C-alpha cells in the first residue's frame, strides 16, 4: 500500500513541476533556516550543563544602589561575602572566589617569556566548583599554599612540552610560583574560561586588611548549596545579611548593595545586565527572538504548502471522484495526499540538511562557535530530524488532504461543487497570516539593525578613532615614564600621547570622592590621568581649564569633573562646580588624603556601552597608578607607526613582548552580540520574504491560470493590459494592507520591549513602519505584477479556444 502511495505521489509531483519546485524550494530554505537557528540555540543551551550538581551552584551578584538614584547589577562582589555566608548559613556547603587580572601577565620559564591572559587569584575549590579534571596534582592540596599556581593543559604544553609540570616553577610578578596542578582546559561550553590560577592565599597574606573590606567589589564569587537547601529562602535572607555586615561600611560612602543568587547554568544567557563580568556571554533575548524567527519561517512554509495545495484541489477533485466511485476509502485518499506532502518534506529535508552543512562553517566563524560539521550523522539527532520532517509533512498536508477527500463523487462528476468561496476566503486568510509574520520580522530586523548602527555611530563624548593603546611594562619603563612617553611620541605620525589608568571600554577605579563642603563621600568613576589625557582622547572641556604641566600644583591638588559628577555634587549648572573642594584617599599612602579643588568641567562621555547610563567621572593627575599609554595617531602609513613604537618599546623593555590594540576594539567587543543578532536577523528575514513571495507567486500563477478565459473576454471587449494587471493585483494589495494594519501593534510592542534594555536607543517612528510596508508591498506586487502582466499579454484566442 505504501509503495503505491509513494508511486502515485511521485507521479503527481512530476506532473505539476512548478508547484513542486515552489513547495520544495520554500520548504528546503525554511527547514535549513530552522535547523541553523536550532543548532545555534542548542549550542547556547549547552553552557555549564556538564558541571556536576550544577543545580546546587550559584553565582553571587550585587544589586548596587547609589544616593543619586542609580541602580546597577554588578557581577563582582566583596571578598568577605562568601566566607561569612558559609560561616553563618548551614545550607552553604562550599564557596569559590576569583580575583581577575584585567591585563596580560608575563610568564617566564627558562628562556621562554610570554604574556598570558585569562587568569587571576582563585580559591582551591575551583576544581570542584567547575568539575575540572586534574591531569597532574591533587585537588585537595593544589592552590592551598602561598605562591602556587595551577595551569591548564594548553599552557603546560606551551612551557613544559611533554614533561610533567608538577613541582616546576613559573616566574610571575618577579616571584617564583610553584606548579601544584595541571587541569584540562575549561570545556568549550563553560561560561568561565581560565588559563591559569594563582593561590588566593597569596592575596590573603599580601593585603589582609583589604580582604576584610565589604566595599571592595572585585571578586567573582560562587557558592554550592547542600542538597535539599532552598535557594530562594537563602536569597530572602541576604538583604538583612548585607544590612548587618556591609551597610555600616558602604552607606557612609553614599551607596549600598543587596546580594542575589543566580543559578550557574543561567549565567551565560541571563547575566547580560551585570556589569564587570568576565563570563562568556550569550543572550536569552537573542535566543527568544531567533526561536520566534525560526518558527515564523517554518509556519510560512507550511502555510504556503496548504495554500497551494488547496488551490490545486480544484484540479484534482475529478481524480478524487473517480477513485471514490471505484471504491477508494476516504482514509486511503487522506493518506495518499499526506504521503505526497511527506515526500516533499523529506526531499526538502535532504536539501535543507545539505544547505545547513554548507552554511555551518560560516556560522561558526561569525558566531565564534564550534558546531561540528557532519552533526547530522549522529543517530539520535538524525532520528529527531526524520521525525521532525514527518511532522512537518503531516502538518502541511493534513488540511489539504481532509479538504480534497471530503468532496462527494456525485457533486464532483456533475460539476456541482459548493463552498468554493469559503475555501478561497481561507486562502486569503493564510496569505494575510504569512505577511503579518513577514512584516513583523522586517520591523524587528530594521529595529535591531538601526539600534546597532546607532550604538556604533553615536557620539560617545570623545573621539575613539585612531587611538592606539600599549601597556606600561617593565621596571625601566616604570622608572622613566616621562622619558618613555617622549620617546614614543617622537614620530611625525604620533599626534599626541597620554598615560593613565582607566580608558573607555576598559577597567577603571570606582573609588569614592569626598565632598569637603558637606564632608560626604560619593561613589564615582575614577580616572587617574596625565596632563594630556583630555586632549588626546578628544574630550570637550566646557568650563574652567585643563591640567597643565606648567603648574606643579595640578598633580597635587587639582580635579576635573564630568557634567554628571558636577550635578551629583549639587550643581545644576556644571560650571558652578569650579573651585569646589574635594578629597581622595591616596592609593600609595592609605592614611593620607589628596586634597584640592575642581579646576575644570568636561562634557559627559561614555565609559561603558550604550546599554548603561552616563556615569559621573572625576579625573586627576596621579602617576603612581599609570598602567597604559594611549597615542592618537595619523591613519596614514600605519606599519611605519607600529614599527616606531615597537623599536622604542625594545629600548625600554627587553623582557615583555611588544603588544598593542586600538581603543575602538573595546566597543566592537561590547556591541558584538547586537552585531551578530542584526546580521542573523537580516539573513533570516530575507529568507522569510523569499519564501513568502515564492508562495505568493505560486498562488498568483494558479489564480491567473483559472482566470485566463475571463481575462481573454475582457481583452476582447477592449480592456487595456494595465487595467487587467491592476484588476488581478488589487486583491493581493488589499490583503497586504490588512496584514500591515494587524501587524503594526504587535511589531511596535515587541520593538519597544527589546529596546528597553538600552539606556540609549533609537526612537520607534512611523517611518520605520512605512519602510517595512513599502518593502513588502514592492516585493509582493512585483511578484504578483510579473505573472499578472504575463497573463494580461496572453493571446485571448488561445484561451477562448480551450475547452
Amino acid at each position: 500500500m505504501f509503495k503505491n502511495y509513494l508511486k502515485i505521489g511521485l507521479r503527481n509531483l512530476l506532473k505539476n513541476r512548478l508547484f513542486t519546485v515552489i513547495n520544495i524550494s520554500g520548504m528546503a530554505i525554511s527547514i535549513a533556516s530552522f535547523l541553523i537557528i536550532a543548532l545555534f540555540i542548542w549550542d547556547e543551551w549547552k553552557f555549564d550543563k556538564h558541571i556536576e550538581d550544577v543545580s546546587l551552584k550559584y553565582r553571587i551578584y550585587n544589586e548596587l544602589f547609589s544616593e543619586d538614584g542609580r541602580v546597577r547589577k554588578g557581577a563582582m562582589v566583596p571578598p568577605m561575602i562568601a566566607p561569612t555566608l558559609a560561616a553563618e548559613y548551614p545550607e552553604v556547603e562550599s564557596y569559590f572566589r576569583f580575583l581577575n587580572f584585567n591585563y596580560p601577565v608575563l610568564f617566564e620559564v627558562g628562556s621562554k617569556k610570554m604574556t598570558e591572559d585569562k587568569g587571576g587569584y582563585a580559591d582551591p575549590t575551583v576544581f570542584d566548583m567547575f568539575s575540572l579534571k586534574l591531569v597532574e596534582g591533587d585537588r585537595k592540596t593544589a592552590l592551598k599554599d602561598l605562591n602556587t599556581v595551577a595551569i591548564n593543559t594548553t599552557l603546560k604544553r606551551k612551557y613544559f612540552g611533554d614533561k610533567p609540570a608538577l613541582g616546576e616553577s613559573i616566574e610571575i610578578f618577579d616571584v617564583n610560583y610553584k606548579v601544584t596542578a595541571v587541569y584540562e582546559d575549561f570545556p568549550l561550553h563553560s561560561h568561565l574560561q581560565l588559563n591559569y590560577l594563582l593561590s588566593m592565599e597569596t592575596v590573603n597574606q599580601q593585603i589582609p586588611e583589604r580582604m576584610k573590606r565589604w566595599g571592595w567589589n572585585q571578586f567573582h564569587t560562587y557558592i554550592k548549596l547542600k542538597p535539599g537547601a532552598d535557594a530562594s529562602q537563602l536569597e530572602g535572607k541576604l538583604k538583612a545579611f548585607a544590612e548587618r555586615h556591609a551597610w555600616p561600611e558602604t552607606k557612609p560612602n553614599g551607596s549600598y548593595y543587596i546580594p542575589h543568587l543566580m543559578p550557574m547554568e543561567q549565567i551565560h544567557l541571563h547575566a547580560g545586565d551585570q556589569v564587570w563580568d568576565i563570563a562568556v556571554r550569550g543572550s536569552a533575548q537573542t535566543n527568544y527572538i531567533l526561536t520566534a524567527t525560526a518558527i515564523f519561517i517554518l509556519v510560512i512554509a507550511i502555510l504556503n504548502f496548504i495554500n497551494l495545495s488547496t488551490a490545486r484541489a480544484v484540479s484534482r477533485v475529478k481524480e478524487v471522484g473517480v477513485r471514490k466511485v471505484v471504491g477508494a476509502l476516504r482514509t486511503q485518499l487522506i493518506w495518499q495526499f499526506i504521503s505526497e506532502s511527506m515526500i516533499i518534506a523529506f526531499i526538502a529535508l535532504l536539501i535543507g540538511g545539505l544547505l545547513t552543512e554548507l552554511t555551518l562553517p560560516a556560522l561558526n566563524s561569525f558566531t565564534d562557535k564550534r558546531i561540528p560539521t557532519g552533526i547530522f550523522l549522529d543517530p539520535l539527532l538524525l532520528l529527531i530530524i526524520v521525525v521532525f520532517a514527518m511532522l512537518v509533512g503531516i502538518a502541511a498536508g493534513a488540511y489539504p488532504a481532509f479538504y480534497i477527500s471530503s468532496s462527494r463523487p456525485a457533486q464532483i462528476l456533475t460539476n456541482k461543487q459548493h463552498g468554493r468561496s469559503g475555501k478561497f476566503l481561507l486562502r486569503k486568510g493564510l496569505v494575510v497570516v504569512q505577511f503579518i509574520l513577514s512584516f513583523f520580522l522586517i520591523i524587528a530586523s530594521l529595529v535591531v539593525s538601526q539600534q546597532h548602527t546607532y550604538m556604533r555611530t553615536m557620539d560617545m563624548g570623545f573621539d575613539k578613532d585612531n587611538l592606539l593603546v600599549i601597556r606600561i611594562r617593565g621596571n625601566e619603563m616604570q622608572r622613566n615614564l616621562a622619558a618613555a612617553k617622549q620617546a614614543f611620541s617622537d614620530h611625525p605620525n604620533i599626534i599626541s600621547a597620554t598615560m593613565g589608568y582607566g580608558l573607555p571600554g576598559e577597567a577603571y577605579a570606582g573609588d569614592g570622592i569626598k565632598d569637603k563642603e558637606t564632608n560626604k563621600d560619593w561613589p564615582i568613576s575614577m580616572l587617574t590621568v596625565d596632563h594630556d589625557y583630555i586632549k588626546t582622547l578628544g574630550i570637550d572641556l566646557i568650563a574652567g581649564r585643563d591640567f597643565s604641566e606648567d603648574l606643579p600644583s595640578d598633580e597635587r591638588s587639582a580635579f576635573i569633573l564630568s557634567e554628571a559628577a558636577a550635578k551629583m555634587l549639587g550643581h545644576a549648572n556644571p560650571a558652578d562646580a569650579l573651585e569646589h573642594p574635594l578629597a581622595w584617599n591616596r592609593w600609595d599612602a592609605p592614611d593620607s588624603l589628596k586634597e584640592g579643588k575642581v579646576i575644570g568641567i568636561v562634557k559627559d562621555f561614555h565609559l561603558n556601552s550604550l546599554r548603561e547610563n552616563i556615569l559621573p567621572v572625576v579625573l586627576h593627575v596621579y602617576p603612581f597608578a599609570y598602567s597604559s599609554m594611549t597615542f592618537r595617531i595619523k591613519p596614514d602609513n600605519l606599519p611605519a607607526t607600529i614599527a616606531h613604537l615597537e623599536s622604542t618599546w625594545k629600548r625600554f623593555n627587553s623582557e615583555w613582548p611588544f603588544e598593542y590594540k586600538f581603543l575602538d576594539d573595546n566597543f566592537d567587543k561590547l556591541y558584538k552580540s547586537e552585531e551578530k543578532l542584526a546580521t542573523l536577523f537580516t539573513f533570516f528575514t530575507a529568507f522569510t520574504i523569499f519564501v513568502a513571495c515564492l508562495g505568493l507567486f505560486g498562488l498568483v500563477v494558479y489564480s491567473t491560470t483559472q482566470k485566463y478565459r475571463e481575462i481573454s473576454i475582457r481583452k476582447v471587449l477592449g480592456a487595456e493590459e494595465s487595467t487587467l494587471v491592476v484588476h488581478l493585483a488589487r486583491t493581493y494589495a488589499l490583503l497586504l494592507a490588512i496584514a500591515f494594519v494587524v501587524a503594526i501593534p504587535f511589531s511596535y510592542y515587541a520593538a519597544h520591549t527589546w529596546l528597553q534594555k538600552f539606556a540609549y536607543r533609537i526612537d520607534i517612528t512611523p517611518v520605520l513602519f512605512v519602510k517595512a510596508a513599502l518593502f513588502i508591498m514592492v516585493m509582493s506586487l512585483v511578484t504578483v505584477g510579473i505573472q499578472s502582466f504575463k497573463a494580461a499579454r496572453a493571446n485571448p484566442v488561445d484561451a477562448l479556444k480551450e475547452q
Side-chain angles (χ1 to χ4, degrees), residues 573-675:
N573 178 12
D576 294 341
L578 294 174
E579 299 298 314
H580 194 113
L582 299 174
W584 173 69
N585 288 309
R586 298 170 61 95
W587 292 345
D588 56 335
D591 295 328
S592 64
L593 295 174
K594 176 178 180 176
E595 298 185 62
K597 294 183 178 181
V598 177
I599 65 167
I601 307 294
V602 295
K603 183 180 178 181
D604 281 334
F605 59 99
H606 291 268
L607 287 176
N608 301 311
S609 79
L610 297 181
R611 297 186 194 95
E612 301 177 38
N613 288 306
I614 286 278
L615 298 174
V617 178
V618 61
L619 304 90
H620 64 104
V621 179
Y622 189 58
F624 176 79
Y626 294 168
S627 63
S628 66
M629 287 189 189
T630 303
F631 307 95
R632 181 164 296 283
I633 64 174
K634 295 178 181 178
D636 304 326
N637 201 3
L638 183 60
T641 308
I642 302 299
H644 161 71
L645 294 175
E646 184 171 10
S647 63
T648 307
W649 174 274
K650 291 177 179 177
R651 285 168 48 192
F652 287 91
N653 204 329
S654 60
E655 294 182 347
W656 289 75
F658 174 69
E659 297 173 332
Y660 69 92
K661 69 174 182 178
F662 287 94
L663 189 65
D664 56 4
D665 290 342
N666 294 337
F667 291 93
D668 288 341
K669 292 176 182 177
L670 290 174
Y671 302 140
K672 199 168 186 178
S673 62
E674 279 75 28
E675 181 182 10

